[in-house]
Structure formats: C-alpha cells, structure tokens
Amino acid sequence: MSINLEKTFQDALEQVKTWARTNSPWLIHFNSGSCNGCDIEILATLTPRYDLERFGVKLQGSPRHADILICTGPVTRQARERLLRVYEQMPEPKYVVAVGSCAISGGVFQGCYNVIGHIDQVIPVDAYVPGCPPRPEAIIDGVIKLLKSLEAQEQTA
Amino acid sequence: MQKNDQADKFIIPIGPQHPALKEPGHFEFTVDGEIVTGATIRLGYVHRGIEKATESRTWVQNLYLLERVCGICSHIHATAYCLGVERLAGLSVPPRAQAIRELVVELERIHSHMLWLGVAAHEAGFDTLFMYSWRDRETVMDILEGLTGNRVHYSANILGGVKIDVDAEQTKTILQGVDFLEKRTHHYLDVVTTDSAFVQRTAGIAVMSKAVAEHFGAVGPTARASGVTQDIRIDAPYLAYEDFPVEIVLDTAGDLKARFVVRVQELFQSYQVIRAILDKLPAGELAVTMPRRIKENETISRVEAPRGELFYYLKSNGTDKPERIKIRTPSICNFGTVPALAAGHQLADMPMILAGIDPCFSCNDRMVTIHRPADDSQTWTWEMLRQYGISYYREKER
C-alpha cells in the first residue's frame, strides 16, 4: 500500500485552514441602503452586553482582510456597484450574511424607484437573519450557525 | 457639495465603504501634506425613493414606511408624520397619548445621544468610552423594549394616538433606569470635559461661529453648540411640551468639545422631562378613530429630532393616499458645514469633524432642489441635459 504524502499534507493543511477560519472569522459590514436600524444592532453585538468578540469574531475595515460580509438593507441603484466591488475584493473563501428583512426581501422598501431589490439578487448569500431589525442575539446566532455549517461541511468533505 | 478643480493637489478618496462610519458616503479630501485644504462629499448611496413611494401607499401603511426613514430616530419620524396627518384630518389626540409620545421621544433622544457619544469617542480612538456608553445605553434599550416591544422600530404611534400604555410597574422600571443613567451621565460629562487626551482632540477643533452656523442653516445640537438659540420643543411646542417643558442647552464655544457638552447636557433635560411626565401622566383614552380618507388639504409639521429640526410637508387629495409628502431632515442641513469646517485641519481630525454633526445618511439621502433667484433661471431641454450629462462624464473620466 502506498501513501500519498502530498494528499495527506494537503488534507492536513485544509483542516488547519478550516480550524483557523471558524475560530477567528473577520467580518466586514456594508450598508447598501439600510435605514440604520440593523447597523446599530450589528454594532451593539460588539459591545459589552453581547460581545461577539468572545467567538473570535472581529469587525474589520478592509474587505481584503475579511472572511464574512455582513449586508444590511435593500440594494439601491447607487450602492449596487459598490456592493459587488466589496464582494469581489474579498479573498476566497468568502461568505455572506444578509441581516434584516430588507436584505432578505426588500422589506418595506419594495417598489421604491431607486431600490433594485434584495441582497441575493446581486451576490450569493449563505445565511439569512430575519427581523426588522433582528435582535443582537439573532445576529450572533446567524453568524455562529454559519460557522457551525462550515465545520460540518469540512467533516463531510 | 463643493466643487474642487485643483488637479495638481493630492486627493484622498474615502468610502463609500469605510471603517469610520457604518453608513455609506463618499468623501474626497484634498490634502497638502497632513493638512486638509478642501473636502468634497458625495451622498446618495442610501437614497431609496421613500417620498415617491409614500404616494402609492395608504396613510396607515406610510406610518410604517416613514418610521423606517431612519433606524436611530424612527419614533420622531412617525410622530412628525402623525402630527401632520392628524392636523389634516382635524383630529384632536387625547392628552395621555401625546404625553406617552413625548415620553418615547425623550427616551429615544437618550438612546440616540448615547449612541452618538460612543461612536464619536470611537472616532477619537477612545474605545473605552465607546464601550462604556454603549453598555449603559442598553439600559434605555431595555426600557424601550419593555414599553413598546421592540428595540429599534418601536411602532408606538398609530394615527390618532398611541398603541402602548404605561402602567405602575413600567413607571418604576423607567425611573430606576433613568436614575442609573443620570449618575452615569455625570461621569460622562466629567470625562468629555476633563480627560486631557480627549480634550486635546476636541477643544478648539472645527470651531464654528454663530454666523457660520446660521449661514449654513445648521440645526439642533450642532447649532446650539455655536450659540444659535433654536429648539423646536421651545420655539413651537408640540405634543405635550407645553405641560412638560425642556430648557434650552447652549454653548458659545462652537468647537467639537462644545458639541459633546451640549449633547451630554441635553440628556439631563430628557431625564427631567421623563420624570415630570411619569409623575403627572394625564388620564384618559389612548387613541381616537382615524378616518380612512382625508379631504384635500395641506399642512406642515415641525419637530425636534435628536439631530435637530425635522420638517414634514403633507398634502392630501381626498383619497386614502397622500398627494405629496416632503421630508427635510436635520442631517442634510448640518452636512453643509463639514466641507467648510474641514479646511485647515489635519486629516486625522476628519472622522471627528464628521461625527461631530452626528450624521445620519439614511435620513439624509433625500432629493434636494436648489432654488435659484428668478433672474438666474434657465430652461433646459432634454437634448441639452443629455449633452451636459455626456460631457460631465467625459470630463470625469479624464
């Protein structure tokens, strides 16, 4: 029986990468037309009562350092191009969480002339957090569920 | 907002996605070394077209749409709209409903000012104050949630009154929370006026004289920090502000420190008003019935949002939908001051100067028509507009 050393090494490297990614994901937040309600709740998740950072999560300024894109709001015609650009600047593998009713369906802004629609009409979305706005606990739950699903994917792969 | 043609200068573009603020706005700072010589702001990334959308929704549906103009000051938008619609329909709202509306307005002001205090401290690199103020802000969020059932969009208003009531147990919780917050606010006032590292970032920065504030039409705490005596709660009392008045908070320094002091001092006014309302809450009904259709009429509605004067113009046409709703938010009035104040400061001061006006982009991104004097009027044909657009974008590419 021959052992494929190359393959074993690659598998081990992948495991280390997944371990690192799911234990310390960096987030980036982009508002593509939101009313601010979801944004302040996302910010509230970082503050002492909710403290998202205990899961190793860090809110990051640059898309080039980020693993997860958190989107809020419907997509306006002005912001569409920027949303795509931010998404394209993120390194692979990348994940998207849509936070709030507007990000999921356009919400109350459906039919406004400058609103294209919801996030997954523009970029692929991995997790949805409903609510107007979702509570900070719900946002944390959404991010953690995404991380759990990444671990599960790795085990089945 | 300000055209800048100095091609040989170094321009730093920031945004619309940027780490400083959570909302999209594009800024271009012309710099000479570290010193900013000019600033250009491009807004409109969150323009959704709400004013037009109101025309295809009923009066009741619009209440929920307009509450979502802004997530921070949502109740005040709904209140301004309700006050206007009730005047159009000729309703007289019960005093208990007006007092409860005022209670929620003041609780919202506390949440908004504490949020701003944290964000502005974060821009200064003072993350400790950011964490403390947001921790304490959870107290008022709990009160609002207990009172209305939601943390952000409270939906306390209905056309003709309110849908929530305050009972004895809630009164006790609110008073306890307010006592705690008042104690903390004394501490924050102490921090923003005496912490030497923080004062170096704020004292004497972005000084706006009273004349400049009036010239740019600044409103709210930004204007009051420059000594402009303007507060709609006092100038034209609405809701129950005649029975439960506030005192105006003024500062004449006009710098960033003054804006911190004015906003923190305003918190004390809010605490005092909340106590007064809970002490003498009028008895009676919570709401009156609102007709579905409103006959042709027009009105305006002015209220004091946490950021300044909020103005609504409403026109009805006899159906169950409005003919026109125009919203003028405080942020757009204050934004004009930023390019004027930016020149001559260090690039590192820009986030603070911007945060100093407490900008709210989602409120802000409305359509604005610039009215020119009569002798300057021009008629542009479609073809002329098209040509202008082509040459504008060609120029921009070059």
Side-chain angles (χ1 to χ4, degrees), chain A residues 9-50:
Chain A
F9 176 71
Q10 282 300 336
D11 286 352
L13 197 64
E14 280 305 314
Q15 276 179 8
V16 171
K17 271 158 78 179
T18 308
W19 170 80
R21 210 154 52 218
T22 52
N23 279 289
S24 179
W26 284 13
L27 309 183
I28 181 175
H29 167 229
F30 187 71
N31 167 346
S32 58
S34 154
C35 74
N36 239 342
C38 298
D39 308 354
I40 59 176
E41 293 296 66
I42 286 172
L43 215 52
T45 60
L46 299 170
T47 54
R49 182 182 286 185
Y50 301 102

mmCIF file of all heavy atoms in Angstrom, chain A residues 9-50:
data_model
loop_
_atom_site.group_PDB
_atom_site.id
_atom_site.type_symbol
_atom_site.label_atom_id
_atom_site.label_comp_id
_atom_site.label_asym_id
_atom_site.label_seq_id
_atom_site.Cartn_x
_atom_site.Cartn_y
_atom_site.Cartn_z
ATOM 1 N N PHE A 9 -0.707 15.701 3.236
ATOM 2 C CA PHE A 9 -0.289 17.040 3.629
ATOM 3 C C PHE A 9 -1.354 18.069 3.272
ATOM 4 O O PHE A 9 -1.716 18.934 4.072
ATOM 5 C CB PHE A 9 1.039 17.367 2.935
ATOM 6 C CG PHE A 9 1.505 18.767 3.203
ATOM 7 C CD1 PHE A 9 1.968 19.126 4.462
ATOM 8 C CD2 PHE A 9 1.455 19.730 2.204
ATOM 9 C CE1 PHE A 9 2.375 20.411 4.712
ATOM 10 C CE2 PHE A 9 1.867 21.014 2.461
ATOM 11 C CZ PHE A 9 2.329 21.365 3.714
ATOM 12 N N GLN A 10 -1.916 17.927 2.051
ATOM 13 C CA GLN A 10 -2.957 18.869 1.614
ATOM 14 C C GLN A 10 -4.179 18.797 2.530
ATOM 15 O O GLN A 10 -4.752 19.824 2.910
ATOM 16 C CB GLN A 10 -3.379 18.557 0.171
ATOM 17 C CG GLN A 10 -2.412 19.064 -0.887
ATOM 18 C CD GLN A 10 -2.236 20.573 -0.850
ATOM 19 O OE1 GLN A 10 -3.106 21.290 -0.381
ATOM 20 N NE2 GLN A 10 -1.100 21.062 -1.293
ATOM 21 N N ASP A 11 -4.584 17.566 2.896
ATOM 22 C CA ASP A 11 -5.748 17.399 3.781
ATOM 23 C C ASP A 11 -5.499 18.054 5.123
ATOM 24 O O ASP A 11 -6.364 18.752 5.657
ATOM 25 C CB ASP A 11 -6.050 15.909 3.986
ATOM 26 C CG ASP A 11 -6.692 15.310 2.745
ATOM 27 O OD1 ASP A 11 -7.020 16.101 1.830
ATOM 28 O OD2 ASP A 11 -6.851 14.078 2.686
ATOM 29 N N ALA A 12 -4.295 17.826 5.658
ATOM 30 C CA ALA A 12 -3.971 18.407 6.953
ATOM 31 C C ALA A 12 -4.004 19.929 6.877
ATOM 32 O O ALA A 12 -4.517 20.607 7.759
ATOM 33 C CB ALA A 12 -2.597 17.925 7.409
ATOM 34 N N LEU A 13 -3.485 20.465 5.775
ATOM 35 C CA LEU A 13 -3.460 21.926 5.596
ATOM 36 C C LEU A 13 -4.876 22.487 5.544
ATOM 37 O O LEU A 13 -5.184 23.506 6.164
ATOM 38 C CB LEU A 13 -2.712 22.240 4.296
ATOM 39 C CG LEU A 13 -2.226 23.681 4.140
ATOM 40 C CD1 LEU A 13 -1.189 23.992 5.208
ATOM 41 C CD2 LEU A 13 -1.629 23.880 2.762
ATOM 42 N N GLU A 14 -5.756 21.761 4.811
ATOM 43 C CA GLU A 14 -7.152 22.194 4.717
ATOM 44 C C GLU A 14 -7.801 22.214 6.087
ATOM 45 O O GLU A 14 -8.557 23.132 6.434
ATOM 46 C CB GLU A 14 -7.946 21.270 3.783
ATOM 47 C CG GLU A 14 -7.759 21.551 2.315
ATOM 48 C CD GLU A 14 -8.077 23.005 1.949
ATOM 49 O OE1 GLU A 14 -9.124 23.514 2.400
ATOM 50 O OE2 GLU A 14 -7.266 23.623 1.245
ATOM 51 N N GLN A 15 -7.506 21.182 6.899
ATOM 52 C CA GLN A 15 -8.096 21.103 8.252
ATOM 53 C C GLN A 15 -7.644 22.277 9.109
ATOM 54 O O GLN A 15 -8.442 22.893 9.811
ATOM 55 C CB GLN A 15 -7.700 19.786 8.912
ATOM 56 C CG GLN A 15 -8.620 18.646 8.508
ATOM 57 C CD GLN A 15 -8.213 17.337 9.133
ATOM 58 O OE1 GLN A 15 -7.328 17.302 9.986
ATOM 59 N NE2 GLN A 15 -8.838 16.265 8.712
ATOM 60 N N VAL A 16 -6.344 22.584 8.998
ATOM 61 C CA VAL A 16 -5.828 23.715 9.774
ATOM 62 C C VAL A 16 -6.503 25.004 9.333
ATOM 63 O O VAL A 16 -6.898 25.844 10.144
ATOM 64 C CB VAL A 16 -4.295 23.817 9.618
ATOM 65 C CG1 VAL A 16 -3.771 25.096 10.225
ATOM 66 C CG2 VAL A 16 -3.626 22.626 10.275
ATOM 67 N N LYS A 17 -6.696 25.140 8.011
ATOM 68 C CA LYS A 17 -7.307 26.368 7.494
ATOM 69 C C LYS A 17 -8.740 26.521 7.989
ATOM 70 O O LYS A 17 -9.157 27.595 8.413
ATOM 71 C CB LYS A 17 -7.263 26.379 5.962
ATOM 72 C CG LYS A 17 -5.980 27.006 5.428
ATOM 73 C CD LYS A 17 -5.665 26.559 4.028
ATOM 74 C CE LYS A 17 -6.466 27.235 2.957
ATOM 75 N NZ LYS A 17 -6.082 26.759 1.629
ATOM 76 N N THR A 18 -9.499 25.426 7.954
ATOM 77 C CA THR A 18 -10.889 25.489 8.424
ATOM 78 C C THR A 18 -10.940 25.793 9.914
ATOM 79 O O THR A 18 -11.747 26.604 10.366
ATOM 80 C CB THR A 18 -11.607 24.156 8.156
ATOM 81 O OG1 THR A 18 -11.423 23.828 6.809
ATOM 82 C CG2 THR A 18 -13.082 24.263 8.479
ATOM 83 N N TRP A 19 -10.021 25.158 10.650
ATOM 84 C CA TRP A 19 -9.972 25.397 12.089
ATOM 85 C C TRP A 19 -9.718 26.879 12.371
ATOM 86 O O TRP A 19 -10.385 27.507 13.184
ATOM 87 C CB TRP A 19 -8.872 24.518 12.700
ATOM 88 C CG TRP A 19 -8.554 24.836 14.116
ATOM 89 C CD1 TRP A 19 -9.251 24.440 15.217
ATOM 90 C CD2 TRP A 19 -7.471 25.629 14.603
ATOM 91 N NE1 TRP A 19 -8.674 24.942 16.352
ATOM 92 C CE2 TRP A 19 -7.578 25.670 16.006
ATOM 93 C CE3 TRP A 19 -6.424 26.318 13.979
ATOM 94 C CZ2 TRP A 19 -6.677 26.378 16.802
ATOM 95 C CZ3 TRP A 19 -5.529 27.004 14.770
ATOM 96 C CH2 TRP A 19 -5.663 27.032 16.168
ATOM 97 N N ALA A 20 -8.759 27.443 11.635
ATOM 98 C CA ALA A 20 -8.411 28.846 11.852
ATOM 99 C C ALA A 20 -9.573 29.750 11.453
ATOM 100 O O ALA A 20 -9.902 30.708 12.146
ATOM 101 C CB ALA A 20 -7.174 29.200 11.051
ATOM 102 N N ARG A 21 -10.213 29.396 10.334
ATOM 103 C CA ARG A 21 -11.274 30.245 9.798
ATOM 104 C C ARG A 21 -12.485 30.265 10.722
ATOM 105 O O ARG A 21 -13.073 31.298 10.967
ATOM 106 C CB ARG A 21 -11.675 29.711 8.428
ATOM 107 C CG ARG A 21 -12.172 30.760 7.503
ATOM 108 C CD ARG A 21 -11.956 30.376 6.076
ATOM 109 N NE ARG A 21 -12.480 29.055 5.754
ATOM 110 C CZ ARG A 21 -11.880 28.220 4.944
ATOM 111 N NH1 ARG A 21 -10.734 28.534 4.388
ATOM 112 N NH2 ARG A 21 -12.413 27.046 4.679
ATOM 113 N N THR A 22 -12.862 29.081 11.221
ATOM 114 C CA THR A 22 -14.083 29.032 12.032
ATOM 115 C C THR A 22 -13.832 29.517 13.450
ATOM 116 O O THR A 22 -14.768 29.819 14.168
ATOM 117 C CB THR A 22 -14.665 27.608 12.086
ATOM 118 O OG1 THR A 22 -13.618 26.735 12.495
ATOM 119 C CG2 THR A 22 -15.209 27.183 10.750
ATOM 120 N N ASN A 23 -12.574 29.603 13.862
ATOM 121 C CA ASN A 23 -12.316 30.080 15.216
ATOM 122 C C ASN A 23 -12.050 31.570 15.279
ATOM 123 O O ASN A 23 -12.160 32.160 16.337
ATOM 124 C CB ASN A 23 -11.145 29.319 15.830
ATOM 125 C CG ASN A 23 -11.599 27.992 16.366
ATOM 126 O OD1 ASN A 23 -12.293 27.935 17.374
ATOM 127 N ND2 ASN A 23 -11.278 26.937 15.661
ATOM 128 N N SER A 24 -11.681 32.146 14.162
ATOM 129 C CA SER A 24 -11.438 33.581 14.184
ATOM 130 C C SER A 24 -11.832 34.232 12.873
ATOM 131 O O SER A 24 -10.989 34.669 12.104
ATOM 132 C CB SER A 24 -9.967 33.843 14.488
ATOM 133 O OG SER A 24 -9.744 35.220 14.496
ATOM 134 N N PRO A 25 -13.143 34.256 12.572
ATOM 135 C CA PRO A 25 -13.555 34.898 11.324
ATOM 136 C C PRO A 25 -13.556 36.430 11.471
ATOM 137 O O PRO A 25 -13.924 36.954 12.528
ATOM 138 C CB PRO A 25 -14.976 34.377 11.127
ATOM 139 C CG PRO A 25 -15.459 34.061 12.489
ATOM 140 C CD PRO A 25 -14.277 33.774 13.355
ATOM 141 N N TRP A 26 -13.121 37.111 10.435
ATOM 142 C CA TRP A 26 -13.174 38.568 10.445
ATOM 143 C C TRP A 26 -14.341 39.020 9.585
ATOM 144 O O TRP A 26 -14.555 38.517 8.490
ATOM 145 C CB TRP A 26 -11.857 39.152 9.931
ATOM 146 C CG TRP A 26 -10.777 39.071 10.964
ATOM 147 C CD1 TRP A 26 -10.804 38.345 12.104
ATOM 148 C CD2 TRP A 26 -9.516 39.742 10.941
ATOM 149 N NE1 TRP A 26 -9.645 38.532 12.806
ATOM 150 C CE2 TRP A 26 -8.833 39.377 12.122
ATOM 151 C CE3 TRP A 26 -8.899 40.620 10.048
ATOM 152 C CZ2 TRP A 26 -7.561 39.866 12.410
ATOM 153 C CZ3 TRP A 26 -7.638 41.094 10.341
ATOM 154 C CH2 TRP A 26 -6.981 40.727 11.527
ATOM 155 N N LEU A 27 -15.068 39.962 10.110
ATOM 156 C CA LEU A 27 -16.273 40.416 9.419
ATOM 157 C C LEU A 27 -16.041 41.772 8.784
ATOM 158 O O LEU A 27 -15.264 42.577 9.262
ATOM 159 C CB LEU A 27 -17.446 40.569 10.397
ATOM 160 C CG LEU A 27 -17.811 39.442 11.341
ATOM 161 C CD1 LEU A 27 -19.045 39.840 12.116
ATOM 162 C CD2 LEU A 27 -18.058 38.177 10.580
ATOM 163 N N ILE A 28 -16.792 42.000 7.719
ATOM 164 C CA ILE A 28 -16.875 43.346 7.186
ATOM 165 C C ILE A 28 -18.354 43.649 7.034
ATOM 166 O O ILE A 28 -19.153 42.773 6.744
ATOM 167 C CB ILE A 28 -16.123 43.472 5.847
ATOM 168 C CG1 ILE A 28 -16.229 44.904 5.347
ATOM 169 C CG2 ILE A 28 -16.632 42.503 4.814
ATOM 170 C CD1 ILE A 28 -15.429 45.161 4.119
ATOM 171 N N HIS A 29 -18.703 44.911 7.286
ATOM 172 C CA HIS A 29 -20.109 45.285 7.231
ATOM 173 C C HIS A 29 -20.316 46.269 6.095
ATOM 174 O O HIS A 29 -19.542 47.206 5.931
ATOM 175 C CB HIS A 29 -20.497 45.911 8.581
ATOM 176 C CG HIS A 29 -21.813 46.606 8.543
ATOM 177 N ND1 HIS A 29 -21.992 47.876 9.023
ATOM 178 C CD2 HIS A 29 -23.001 46.206 8.067
ATOM 179 C CE1 HIS A 29 -23.237 48.226 8.847
ATOM 180 N NE2 HIS A 29 -23.877 47.244 8.264
ATOM 181 N N PHE A 30 -21.330 46.028 5.283
ATOM 182 C CA PHE A 30 -21.665 47.005 4.240
ATOM 183 C C PHE A 30 -23.160 47.288 4.256
ATOM 184 O O PHE A 30 -23.974 46.381 4.300
ATOM 185 C CB PHE A 30 -21.234 46.510 2.854
ATOM 186 C CG PHE A 30 -21.417 47.550 1.780
ATOM 187 C CD1 PHE A 30 -20.589 48.661 1.740
ATOM 188 C CD2 PHE A 30 -22.421 47.428 0.848
ATOM 189 C CE1 PHE A 30 -20.761 49.641 0.763
ATOM 190 C CE2 PHE A 30 -22.591 48.407 -0.139
ATOM 191 C CZ PHE A 30 -21.759 49.503 -0.171
ATOM 192 N N ASN A 31 -23.453 48.581 4.250
ATOM 193 C CA ASN A 31 -24.836 49.046 4.247
ATOM 194 C C ASN A 31 -25.153 49.485 2.829
ATOM 195 O O ASN A 31 -24.575 50.421 2.322
ATOM 196 C CB ASN A 31 -24.918 50.212 5.248
ATOM 197 C CG ASN A 31 -26.194 51.013 5.137
ATOM 198 O OD1 ASN A 31 -26.942 50.904 4.177
ATOM 199 N ND2 ASN A 31 -26.441 51.837 6.118
ATOM 200 N N SER A 32 -26.075 48.775 2.169
ATOM 201 C CA SER A 32 -26.350 49.109 0.771
ATOM 202 C C SER A 32 -27.692 49.828 0.624
ATOM 203 O O SER A 32 -28.304 49.777 -0.416
ATOM 204 C CB SER A 32 -26.331 47.836 -0.069
ATOM 205 O OG SER A 32 -27.270 46.927 0.427
ATOM 206 N N GLY A 33 -28.136 50.492 1.689
ATOM 207 C CA GLY A 33 -29.388 51.239 1.577
ATOM 208 C C GLY A 33 -30.280 51.036 2.780
ATOM 209 O O GLY A 33 -31.478 51.288 2.732
ATOM 210 N N SER A 34 -29.673 50.596 3.871
ATOM 211 C CA SER A 34 -30.445 50.276 5.067
ATOM 212 C C SER A 34 -30.881 51.540 5.799
ATOM 213 O O SER A 34 -30.352 52.626 5.567
ATOM 214 C CB SER A 34 -29.567 49.416 5.976
ATOM 215 O OG SER A 34 -29.939 49.546 7.304
ATOM 216 N N CYS A 35 -31.849 51.398 6.699
ATOM 217 C CA CYS A 35 -32.338 52.538 7.470
ATOM 218 C C CYS A 35 -31.479 52.773 8.684
ATOM 219 O O CYS A 35 -31.797 53.639 9.481
ATOM 220 C CB CYS A 35 -33.779 52.325 7.899
ATOM 221 S SG CYS A 35 -33.932 51.138 9.231
ATOM 222 N N ASN A 36 -30.405 52.001 8.905
ATOM 223 C CA ASN A 36 -29.550 52.216 10.064
ATOM 224 C C ASN A 36 -29.912 51.339 11.237
ATOM 225 O O ASN A 36 -29.102 51.141 12.132
ATOM 226 C CB ASN A 36 -29.693 53.657 10.579
ATOM 227 C CG ASN A 36 -28.405 54.377 10.565
ATOM 228 O OD1 ASN A 36 -27.394 53.724 10.492
ATOM 229 N ND2 ASN A 36 -28.429 55.668 10.611
ATOM 230 N N GLY A 37 -31.151 50.852 11.273
ATOM 231 C CA GLY A 37 -31.597 50.062 12.414
ATOM 232 C C GLY A 37 -30.757 48.811 12.576
ATOM 233 O O GLY A 37 -30.284 48.501 13.667
ATOM 234 N N CYS A 38 -30.542 48.072 11.465
ATOM 235 C CA CYS A 38 -29.730 46.850 11.530
ATOM 236 C C CYS A 38 -28.285 47.192 11.854
ATOM 237 O O CYS A 38 -27.607 46.450 12.549
ATOM 238 C CB CYS A 38 -29.789 46.113 10.203
ATOM 239 S SG CYS A 38 -31.429 45.565 9.770
ATOM 240 N N ASP A 39 -27.806 48.340 11.334
ATOM 241 C CA ASP A 39 -26.408 48.709 11.537
ATOM 242 C C ASP A 39 -26.122 48.935 13.011
ATOM 243 O O ASP A 39 -25.089 48.510 13.525
ATOM 244 C CB ASP A 39 -26.067 49.984 10.757
ATOM 245 C CG ASP A 39 -26.471 49.880 9.306
ATOM 246 O OD1 ASP A 39 -26.893 48.793 8.911
ATOM 247 O OD2 ASP A 39 -26.363 50.873 8.596
ATOM 248 N N ILE A 40 -27.049 49.629 13.707
ATOM 249 C CA ILE A 40 -26.777 49.887 15.120
ATOM 250 C C ILE A 40 -26.896 48.604 15.929
ATOM 251 O O ILE A 40 -26.204 48.437 16.915
ATOM 252 C CB ILE A 40 -27.648 51.023 15.708
ATOM 253 C CG1 ILE A 40 -29.129 50.738 15.594
ATOM 254 C CG2 ILE A 40 -27.295 52.346 15.103
ATOM 255 C CD1 ILE A 40 -29.979 51.814 16.252
ATOM 256 N N GLU A 41 -27.715 47.662 15.474
ATOM 257 C CA GLU A 41 -27.796 46.392 16.188
ATOM 258 C C GLU A 41 -26.546 45.549 15.950
ATOM 259 O O GLU A 41 -26.107 44.823 16.842
ATOM 260 C CB GLU A 41 -29.057 45.617 15.775
ATOM 261 C CG GLU A 41 -30.366 46.265 16.201
ATOM 262 C CD GLU A 41 -30.556 46.354 17.704
ATOM 263 O OE1 GLU A 41 -29.801 47.087 18.353
ATOM 264 O OE2 GLU A 41 -31.474 45.704 18.230
ATOM 265 N N ILE A 42 -25.957 45.653 14.753
ATOM 266 C CA ILE A 42 -24.694 44.948 14.486
ATOM 267 C C ILE A 42 -23.604 45.525 15.378
ATOM 268 O O ILE A 42 -22.804 44.803 15.973
ATOM 269 C CB ILE A 42 -24.316 45.058 12.997
ATOM 270 C CG1 ILE A 42 -25.229 44.155 12.161
ATOM 271 C CG2 ILE A 42 -22.858 44.686 12.767
ATOM 272 C CD1 ILE A 42 -25.078 44.332 10.691
ATOM 273 N N LEU A 43 -23.597 46.857 15.492
ATOM 274 C CA LEU A 43 -22.607 47.499 16.356
ATOM 275 C C LEU A 43 -22.836 47.092 17.814
ATOM 276 O O LEU A 43 -21.887 46.891 18.570
ATOM 277 C CB LEU A 43 -22.718 49.020 16.200
ATOM 278 C CG LEU A 43 -21.417 49.803 16.283
ATOM 279 C CD1 LEU A 43 -20.395 49.241 15.333
ATOM 280 C CD2 LEU A 43 -21.664 51.260 15.999
ATOM 281 N N ALA A 44 -24.128 46.949 18.178
ATOM 282 C CA ALA A 44 -24.438 46.569 19.552
ATOM 283 C C ALA A 44 -23.930 45.168 19.884
ATOM 284 O O ALA A 44 -23.605 44.882 21.032
ATOM 285 C CB ALA A 44 -25.945 46.650 19.799
ATOM 286 N N THR A 45 -23.821 44.302 18.862
ATOM 287 C CA THR A 45 -23.317 42.950 19.144
ATOM 288 C C THR A 45 -21.857 42.969 19.590
ATOM 289 O O THR A 45 -21.386 42.016 20.185
ATOM 290 C CB THR A 45 -23.406 42.027 17.906
ATOM 291 O OG1 THR A 45 -22.625 42.601 16.872
ATOM 292 C CG2 THR A 45 -24.811 41.817 17.441
ATOM 293 N N LEU A 46 -21.145 44.045 19.257
ATOM 294 C CA LEU A 46 -19.723 44.115 19.612
ATOM 295 C C LEU A 46 -19.512 44.687 20.999
ATOM 296 O O LEU A 46 -18.417 44.664 21.530
ATOM 297 C CB LEU A 46 -18.984 45.010 18.614
ATOM 298 C CG LEU A 46 -19.009 44.543 17.178
ATOM 299 C CD1 LEU A 46 -18.466 45.617 16.282
ATOM 300 C CD2 LEU A 46 -18.192 43.289 17.034
ATOM 301 N N THR A 47 -20.555 45.251 21.586
ATOM 302 C CA THR A 47 -20.404 45.988 22.842
ATOM 303 C C THR A 47 -20.620 45.051 24.033
ATOM 304 O O THR A 47 -21.108 43.938 23.865
ATOM 305 C CB THR A 47 -21.371 47.177 22.862
ATOM 306 O OG1 THR A 47 -22.670 46.674 22.618
ATOM 307 C CG2 THR A 47 -21.003 48.189 21.805
ATOM 308 N N PRO A 48 -20.265 45.513 25.259
ATOM 309 C CA PRO A 48 -20.103 44.581 26.376
ATOM 310 C C PRO A 48 -21.241 43.604 26.633
ATOM 311 O O PRO A 48 -20.986 42.464 26.988
ATOM 312 C CB PRO A 48 -19.919 45.531 27.554
ATOM 313 C CG PRO A 48 -19.280 46.711 26.962
ATOM 314 C CD PRO A 48 -19.871 46.861 25.606
ATOM 315 N N ARG A 49 -22.500 44.009 26.456
ATOM 316 C CA ARG A 49 -23.543 43.057 26.837
ATOM 317 C C ARG A 49 -23.552 41.818 25.939
ATOM 318 O O ARG A 49 -23.743 40.707 26.401
ATOM 319 C CB ARG A 49 -24.915 43.700 26.819
ATOM 320 C CG ARG A 49 -25.955 42.696 27.274
ATOM 321 C CD ARG A 49 -27.345 43.201 27.253
ATOM 322 N NE ARG A 49 -27.612 44.125 28.338
ATOM 323 C CZ ARG A 49 -28.824 44.622 28.568
ATOM 324 N NH1 ARG A 49 -29.824 44.280 27.809
ATOM 325 N NH2 ARG A 49 -29.016 45.461 29.550
ATOM 326 N N TYR A 50 -23.349 42.007 24.627
ATOM 327 C CA TYR A 50 -23.456 40.878 23.690
ATOM 328 C C TYR A 50 -22.088 40.293 23.346
ATOM 329 O O TYR A 50 -21.940 39.089 23.243
ATOM 330 C CB TYR A 50 -24.216 41.321 22.434
ATOM 331 C CG TYR A 50 -25.587 41.815 22.788
ATOM 332 C CD1 TYR A 50 -25.873 43.165 22.843
ATOM 333 C CD2 TYR A 50 -26.583 40.925 23.147
ATOM 334 C CE1 TYR A 50 -27.123 43.614 23.219
ATOM 335 C CE2 TYR A 50 -27.836 41.365 23.514
ATOM 336 C CZ TYR A 50 -28.102 42.711 23.551
ATOM 337 O OH TYR A 50 -29.327 43.141 23.925
#
